[in-house]
Amino acid sequence: MITRINHIAIVVADLDEALKTYQDGLGLTLRKRMVMPEQEVEIAFLPAGESVIELIQPITPDSGVAKYLAKRGEGLHHICLEVDDVQVTMEELAARDMQLLSETPIRAAEGHGVFVHPKSSHGVLLEFLQPYGEEA
Amino acid sequence: MITRINHIAIVVADLDEALKTYQDGLGLTLRKRMVMPEQEVEIAFLPAGESVIELIQPITPDSGVAKYLAKRGEGLHHICLEVDDVQVTMEELAARDMQLLSETPIRAAEGHGVFVHPKSSHGVLLEFLQPYGEEA
């Protein structure tokens, strides 16, 4: 069911500054950047093999990501595991008593995803995602 | 220079309990587990595509990982990016003013690696690793 790590999300305070570091300092390449108004964030996508490192900057003070940044500072936010079928995955996770953060898949930058509460996964915010274009 | 995400490391308090969750709850598969006496940890390796999720439990109270767990609780610890040549990578990183945690590569479970201080990478502990068997 899990085919790969789709992305690793890192919360940053200033996307321009972080991109300088991740490109010029660490040697990654920017594929694209986009504003996601619904999530109140701007995201930059830097591929690493079959996965992507996503730098996420909140663009309002009230989003979940903004509050995370204010409380914990910059750093790792979540891991996203890619699956073939997010609906089936949700049913399997719920049947195994994993606590999900939504009752239906939510629309993300890369596909439809569902988050597992960190309480269910030893402190890690985990997303399961079915990419767009691969829906049954 | 960066070929893939080699692994994502997650610190856990009890490896047996965490493995139950990551296998039976989240659907990952255990490839192997091993004690690393030098690092004072036990590690379980769960593949996800070309990458591996590593669950790390400290086995002494004094290691860096044990202190991390005591201070921050369970959760994401670091990302490891795979490179062809860790020596060249170290020189490049140093030339770009990235702060490294060692002056020479250290021997890890999967290869020779070097860590970049989170201060240099927007709060993320990053490892660059050249796997064993791919040394020049």
Side-chain angles (χ1 to χ4, degrees):
Chain A
M1 103 187 189
I2 294 165
T3 53
R4 61 171 164 165
I5 293 170
N6 181 282
H7 63 267
I8 296 171
I10 297 167
V11 176
V12 299
D14 182 321
L15 192 56
D16 292 324
E17 282 301 315
L19 274 173
K20 269 187 220 162
T21 301
Y22 275 78
Q23 291 181 99
D24 304 341
L26 298 168
L28 289 155
T29 304
L30 178 64
R31 185 156 74 195
K32 64 172 174 175
R33 62 187 283 179
M34 61 191 290
V35 174
M36 298 284 292
E38 284 171 43
Q39 276 81 29
E40 304 172 51
V41 294
E42 185 172 4
I43 311 181
F45 300 79
L46 303 115
E50 66 182 14
S51 306
V52 175
I53 291 177
E54 292 187 8
L55 302 177
I56 302 182
Q57 183 206 306
I59 54 173
T60 69
D62 299 321
S63 66
V65 173
K67 287 173 187 161
Y68 185 96
L69 178 64
K71 186 174 173 189
R72 306 200 44 157
E74 295 186 310
L76 291 167
H77 185 260
H78 72 267
I79 303 175
C80 174
L81 300 171
E82 191 170 309
V83 293
D84 297 324
D85 188 320
V86 71
Q87 200 66 52
V88 169
T89 300
M90 285 191 79
E91 289 161 18
E92 288 173 349
L93 292 168
R96 296 171 193 150
D97 292 328
M98 296 289 109
Q99 189 183 331
L100 306 179
L101 295 190
S102 63
E103 291 188 4
T104 55
I106 56 167
R107 200 174 164 78
E110 320 80 353
H112 288 103
V114 63
F115 283 90
V116 175
H117 194 290
K119 282 182 188 168
S120 285
S121 46
H122 292 260
V124 179
L125 181 59
L126 271 180
E127 182 183 10
F128 287 84
L129 182 102
Q130 176 182 352
Y132 294 126
E134 296 182 22
E135 274 98 325
Chain B
M1 106 189 187
I2 293 166
T3 54
R4 62 172 163 164
I5 294 171
N6 181 282
H7 63 267
I8 297 170
I10 297 166
V11 176
V12 299
D14 181 322
L15 192 55
D16 292 323
E17 282 300 315
L19 274 173
K20 270 187 219 162
T21 301
Y22 275 78
Q23 292 181 98
D24 304 340
L26 297 167
L28 289 154
T29 304
L30 177 64
R31 185 157 73 195
K32 65 171 173 174
R33 62 187 283 179
M34 61 191 290
V35 173
M36 297 284 292
E38 285 172 43
Q39 276 82 30
E40 303 172 50
V41 294
E42 185 171 4
I43 310 181
F45 300 79
L46 304 115
E50 67 182 13
S51 305
V52 175
I53 291 177
E54 292 188 9
L55 302 177
I56 301 182
Q57 183 206 307
I59 55 174
T60 69
D62 299 321
S63 66
V65 173
K67 287 172 187 161
Y68 185 96
L69 177 64
K71 186 174 173 189
R72 307 200 43 157
E74 295 186 311
L76 290 167
H77 185 260
H78 72 267
I79 303 176
C80 174
L81 300 171
E82 191 169 310
V83 293
D84 297 326
D85 189 321
V86 70
Q87 201 64 53
V88 169
T89 300
M90 284 191 79
E91 289 161 17
E92 289 173 348
L93 292 169
R96 297 171 192 150
D97 291 328
M98 296 289 109
Q99 189 183 332
L100 306 179
L101 295 189
S102 63
E103 291 188 5
T104 55
I106 57 167
R107 200 174 164 78
E110 320 79 354
H112 288 102
V114 63
F115 283 89
V116 175
H117 194 289
K119 282 182 188 168
S120 285
S121 47
H122 292 261
V124 179
L125 181 59
L126 271 179
E127 182 182 10
F128 286 85
L129 182 102
Q130 176 182 352
Y132 294 126
E134 297 182 21
E135 274 98 323

